[in-house]
Amino acid sequence: MSPAVTVPAVELTERFSRASGPGGQGVNTTDSRVELSFDLAGSAALPDHLRERALRRLSSRLSGGVLTVVASEHRSQRRNREAALERLRDLLADATAPGPATRRATRPTRGSQRRRVEGKKRRGEVKRLRRSTDD
């Protein structure tokens, strides 16, 4: 995503829940798992052309136009929030990036065509010399 485009925190929704995995006794009491949701279809933060591109590229990840990212690999809620924000930022940057330039067809140079044909002739000559001449 370009540095000029920012998503306001108001458009992000956070949900916290208990994460599985390591954490000792605290894992049963701490809501450290973070679900960060962003309403991509209804957002006014992105220009129309970027929003359409992101909706098309992220269509398999969207649920009703909402992009949800989950982070639960850290033991603290703060670090999981940072991880989720980073994931969302990366996803949106990849989804809104312009595609590759279209390929222009080119022709082989005359020299490369000549070298190719000469190589084929050399190979054919080697094979011809290997043949038995038992006539």
Side-chain angles (χ1 to χ4, degrees):
M1 200 158 55
S2 70
V5 178
T6 56
V7 176
V10 178
E11 293 192 18
L12 300 176
T13 307
E14 291 178 326
R15 278 186 49 205
F16 304 103
S17 60
R18 294 196 177 117
S20 62
Q25 294 170 339
V27 78
N28 298 325
T29 59
T30 307
D31 291 340
S32 60
R33 179 177 183 264
V34 177
E35 282 184 36
L36 187 62
S37 299
F38 172 56
D39 185 6
L40 184 59
S43 174
L46 296 172
D48 289 339
H49 69 283
L50 291 180
R51 185 180 323 109
E52 292 303 319
R53 186 184 296 164
L55 285 170
R56 189 174 57 252
R57 289 182 179 172
L58 295 172
S59 62
S60 62
R61 291 197 56 145
L62 298 177
S63 174
V66 177
L67 176 64
T68 302
V69 178
V70 178
S72 63
E73 64 269 8
H74 300 291
R75 288 173 62 171
S76 75
Q77 187 183 89
R78 181 184 55 79
R79 289 182 64 193
N80 281 330
R81 287 174 79 182
E82 292 168 359
L85 274 170
E86 185 67 29
R87 269 189 217 138
L88 181 69
R89 186 178 303 120
D90 292 343
L91 271 173
L92 288 176
D94 289 344
T96 57
T102 55
R103 182 188 177 277
R104 286 194 342 228
T106 58
R107 296 181 63 147
T109 62
R110 191 176 295 151
S112 69
Q113 289 177 342
R114 182 182 47 78
R115 286 188 298 273
R116 179 180 148 269
V117 171
E118 286 174 1
K120 289 168 78 75
K121 285 181 181 176
R122 269 194 306 274
R123 186 71 184 147
E125 184 65 19
V126 166
K127 290 185 172 194
R128 187 185 65 77
L129 291 173
R130 286 184 189 157
R131 286 191 211 135
S132 62
T133 53
D134 295 350
D135 295 295

